[in-house]
Structure formats: C-alpha cells, structure tokens
Amino acid sequence: MSATFSSLSFRNYRLWFAGALVANVGTWMQRVAQDWLVLTELTDESGVAVGITTALQFAPTLVLSAWAGLLADRFDRRKLLVLTQVAQGVLAAGLGALVLSGHAQLWQVYAFAGLLGVVTAIDGPVRQTFVAELVPAGRLSNAVGLNSASFNAARLIGPGLAGLLIAAVGSGWVFVINAATFAATIVSLTLMRRSELYSMPHAPRAKGQIREGIAYVRNRSDILVIMVVVGVVSTFGLNFQLTSALMARTEFGRGAQEYGILGSVLAIGSLTGALLAARRDRPRVRLVIGSAFAFGVTTGVMALMPTYVSYAIACIPVGLASLTMMTAANTSIQMSTDPRMRGRVMSLYMVVFLGATPVGSPIVGWIGETFGARWSIGVGSISAILVSVGAALWARNRWGVQVRYHVASRPHLEVLYPGDRTERDLERDSTRPTPPTSPTTPGRRRATEAPARVAAQDAADAQHAA
C-alpha cells in the first residue's frame, strides 16, 4: 500500500475513515444550509447574523473544551464518541423538523447552533486523541493527514450537494439528511475490535488536572508559538462559510448553488494539502509558520479577484495553505506531547483553534457589512501575514533559528535550529584552533544557573520544533 494511505491497512482505522467520511459530508451540507437559511430566509442578507450563528456554534469550546480534554484523558474515548454522534444527529433532526414545519425563527437557529456547539466542544478533543488508538505511534502523522483528507473530501462533496438540495427541496431536508449520516460513524465505532486498539494511558482522578495541562503548555514555547499563529489565523482568516456567503451573494449576485460550489472548490486545495500531509513523517513548527504566511498571501490575492470564476479558482491555493497549516499544527502538537497529557493539551489547542471563531466571526461579519465583502477576507490576509512574520522573528531571536539561502547549491533554502550542523559549518570549524578552557568558580556557576535552565528549556523546545 502507498505510504500516503498506509494507515488504511489497519481494520479499525478503515472503519473510522469510512464512517467519518459519510458523517463529514452531512456536516458540511448542514453548515452550508444553516448559513444560507440565516442569510436569505431569516434575515435580509445580514452578515452579522451569520457571524453570530457561527459564533454560537463555536463559543462553548471556550468554556467546555478543557473539561472535555480531561474526559478524553480519563474515560473510554470510543464510548464518548458514540454519545456525541447520537447527540449531533438528534439536534440536526430537530432543526430539520422545525424548518420543514415552517416555524423556524432566527432565535431558534441560534439556540440549535449553541447546543450543537456544546456537543462539538466535547467531541473535538476526544475525536482528536482517539486517532492515536487506531494506529501504532509510527503511523500517527499519516492517520492525522488522512483524517484531514476525509474531512476535506467531504468538504469537496458536501457544499456542492447542499447547494443542489437547497435549490431542489429546501434547507430543512438537508438537516434531516445530515442527521441520518451520523449513523455511519456510530456503526463504525461499534464494529471496531477492541483487541486491535492501541491503548493509551488514562489519567487517574486527581485535583488540579486542568491546571496541570495549562502549566504543561505554558512551559512549552514551541506549542505556544503554534497556538498563537493558529489562533490569530483562525480568528480573522478561517471564516470561509461567512466570507464565501457574502462574496457569492453581495459581490457576485449568485445563489445557493454557486455558494456551495465555492466550498467544494476550496476543498480541492484542502484535499491536496491533506494528502501531502499524510506523506510527512513529522511536521515542524516552521511548516506551521510558513503555511500561515502562504495563507495570508493567497487570501489577499483571492480578495482582489474581479469575477466569480477567478475568485473560485483562487480558492484552491487558499485551501492548500490553510489545510497545511492546520494539519501541521495538529500533528506537531500530538506527536510531541506526553500521551497522558494529550487530551488536555489538544483541548487547549481546540480552544484556540475553534474558540477563536466566536470572537472573529461577528467582527468579520461587521467588516463585511460596513466596508464590503472583500475586506472581510482582507482582514484575515493581513492578520496572517503579520502573525507569521512575528512568529518567525521570535523563533530566530529566542531559539537561535537561522535561515540561509544558497544560490548555487541545493538545498537553496536552509532553516537551521541550534545543534544543526551543515557541511560548511563542519569544514569551517575544523580549521579553527580549540580555545583554552577555564575553570568555573562556584560563584560564577550560581550566577549562570537560572539562564542555563531557560536556555535548556528553549533548546528542548527548539528540538521539538525541529
């Protein structure tokens, strides 16, 4: 089997992949239908209302995600996932029934979005860490990449299918269909063989475990860099549901079908990025920073596109850059974190990644209404470029990262962390005389102990980043 799809050789992972693919198609269908319902049927094309709906769907992550991460570290993750899938299916069916009955109001959509956000906040950390139970540790990077491929293959199918269904039968039936798709994940979870799961250690019940997770992250500067970069980009840039709806409706005068197509085209780039991610053994922090910068550049270009067709084409590199950043961040954190802490650390990452949306969506929606749809994309572009450049400068100063460019030899671009040695370095150092050593006095030793501890931690974080 190709290295790109090596995780599919494990039966439990194949079941998970298939079930998640079906459920993800339904989820993307509901996202498009929900935003279109709010934008065109329940309001007079209000970007703020769409932003509030999105914010309510992700706001519970800010409150519940850390607790959910503790659940993921303590309890059976497979059973927790069955419960969250059932709950999401019930909520989708309830909203569908409300719309089909003709009684749906904006406040009711807000309420369902908030309830779905509560379930999603619990589901996220459990889902992220459960992957490590389906494949051996050496396949984790590949499994995370294929998970993203499944998500974005669904993104390729779901929005376009939703647009067709909305035009044909209305939004209500899209919600009902999504409710049915959760059965695929539930069946796949129940069919898994427990004997073939790769069990992870569970955290014992004790006081202060959430604080312990926060302290762990606070002492890992590499994880903090990733969270800052992803948090800023997620807040102002990863609002595609909102910005694409505004661009399709107000800038290009298109309908639900064309709006759905934009999501599918974006997924072409995302799916490509996911498949490339599945081939990487271990992504580095520099990939997170570099892809965030690429996201800023590509979204800036996309915001300037004059026609619907050129805008749709520009979505492809945006999808590639955003998915590369998200997958690299997810995998880098999971692979460098103590397994006993993984649920709590991933929950804090989910707070940053998804919890930023309630803050950013209303702001981006207001910018779109006040200054135009193109500026709702432009603010994300500017933010991504600024945070990625800032993170690169910080890493250079704190970790001693060096960037070298060679015109005449390969690799043309080298990113070197402390301890990395190139052939040029070795050749230069071999010609230098060895400096004499001098004894260190006790007073001098004490004076340098604290800086040494800081340097040791920075060196360890740089090693994780490398």
Side-chain angles (χ1 to χ4, degrees):
M1 181 176 291
S2 167
T4 304
F5 302 99
S6 60
S7 292
L8 293 176
S9 61
F10 300 92
R11 179 181 181 275
N12 284 345
Y13 186 80
R14 286 198 303 273
L15 288 169
W16 171 257
F17 184 89
L21 178 62
V22 175
N24 284 333
V25 170
T27 297
W28 278 109
M29 289 170 58
Q30 171 150 333
R31 289 184 180 183
V32 170
Q34 177 179 273
D35 289 349
W36 198 253
L37 175 70
V38 171
L39 187 68
T40 63
E41 297 183 36
L42 301 181
T43 69
D44 185 19
E45 299 181 353
S46 172
V48 172
V50 177
I52 291 173
T53 305
T54 304
L56 287 170
Q57 191 165 324
F58 292 103
T61 301
L62 289 171
V63 180
L64 299 176
S65 191
W67 175 71
L70 185 56
L71 290 180
D73 281 340
R74 279 185 182 174
F75 299 108
D76 188 314
R77 299 172 185 87
R78 185 167 61 155
K79 292 179 180 179
L80 288 173
L81 284 171
V82 170
L83 292 175
T84 59
Q85 301 309 293
V86 170
Q88 290 181 75
V90 170
L91 288 171
L95 182 56
L98 196 63
V99 174
L100 290 174
S101 69
H103 295 100
Q105 298 179 38
L106 183 60
W107 72 268
Q108 294 168 329
V109 176
Y110 285 166
F112 271 92
L115 290 172
L116 182 61
V118 170
V119 179
T120 303
I122 298 172
D123 178 81
V126 182
R127 176 183 292 270
Q128 296 288 340
T129 53
F130 182 62
V131 179
E133 295 192 42
L134 302 176
V135 296
R139 292 285 190 273
L140 181 58
S141 179
N142 177 259
V144 171
L146 288 180
N147 271 6
S148 296
S150 168
F151 185 75
N152 287 284
R155 193 188 215 178
L156 189 64
I157 301 168
L161 183 57
L164 294 172
L165 288 172
I166 292 170
V169 297
S171 301
W173 282 109
V174 176
F175 299 134
V176 173
I177 293 170
N178 177 46
T181 62
F182 287 104
T185 308
I186 295 170
V187 170
S188 72
L189 288 166
T190 55
L191 290 177
M192 288 180 183
R193 295 171 183 163
R194 181 175 293 275
S195 61
E196 296 180 11
L197 292 173
Y198 295 83
S199 60
M200 291 170 53
H202 289 276
R205 183 181 296 274
K207 292 183 178 180
Q209 289 179 303
I210 293 177
R211 291 195 301 272
E212 184 184 8
I214 295 172
Y216 181 89
V217 171
R218 190 171 59 240
N219 291 321
R220 287 283 303 277
S221 61
D222 57 323
I223 294 179
L224 288 174
V225 168
I226 292 174
M227 287 187 174
V228 169
V229 171
V230 172
V232 172
V233 175
S234 178
T235 300
F236 299 107
L238 299 181
N239 295 285
F240 298 129
Q241 294 171 247
L242 168 59
T243 55
S244 292
L246 288 173
M247 289 293 291
R249 186 71 174 177
T250 65
E251 196 70 24
F252 301 123
R254 301 303 178 103
Q257 184 173 345
E258 289 84 0
Y259 166 47
I261 289 172
L262 288 179
S264 295
V265 173
L266 184 75
I268 294 174
S270 300
L271 180 59
T272 303
L275 293 175
L276 291 174
R279 297 184 65 86
R280 297 188 191 100
D281 292 331
R282 187 185 181 104
R284 301 182 178 188
V285 176
R286 69 191 186 196
L287 182 60
V288 178
I289 296 173
S291 54
F293 181 82
F295 175 83
V297 173
T298 54
T299 49
V301 172
M302 182 175 70
L304 298 174
M305 290 294 101
T307 66
Y308 174 83
V309 173
S310 62
Y311 178 86
I313 294 172
C315 287
I316 296 176
V318 171
L320 174 61
S322 62
L323 195 283
T324 300
M325 181 195 70
M326 290 185 284
T327 305
N330 185 318
T331 311
S332 180
I333 291 176
Q334 287 215 52
M335 294 186 71
S336 66
T337 300
D338 184 338
R340 291 171 297 180
M341 301 289 296
R342 190 171 288 160
R344 280 163 284 178
V345 172
M346 290 306 298
S347 71
L348 294 173
Y349 171 72
M350 298 300 289
V351 167
V352 172
F353 178 51
L354 297 179
T357 304
V359 178
S361 291
I363 296 173
V364 172
W366 175 80
I367 290 172
E369 280 193 7
T370 306
F371 301 102
R374 296 184 186 278
W375 274 108
S376 68
I377 303 172
V379 67
S381 171
I382 295 168
S383 300
I385 291 173
L386 290 177
V387 74
S388 58
V389 171
L393 293 174
W394 186 93
R396 186 190 67 180
N397 295 332
R398 182 66 179 267
W399 292 338
V401 175
Q402 300 179 41
V403 179
R404 300 179 183 179
Y405 185 76
H406 310 294
V407 177
S409 61
R410 291 179 180 273
H412 296 300
L413 184 67
E414 284 185 306
V415 180
L416 302 176
Y417 291 85
D420 288 349
R421 311 295 291 166
T422 66
E423 291 184 3
R424 293 181 181 86
D425 294 330
L426 295 173
E427 182 179 354
R428 183 183 66 246
D429 292 348
S430 66
T431 62
R432 292 179 177 174
T434 303
T437 60
S438 59
T440 303
T441 64
R444 182 180 180 87
R445 186 184 304 116
R446 284 193 298 271
T448 59
E449 278 179 352
R453 284 196 297 270
V454 173
Q457 182 61 53
D458 288 342
D461 292 341
Q463 185 62 37
H464 284 300

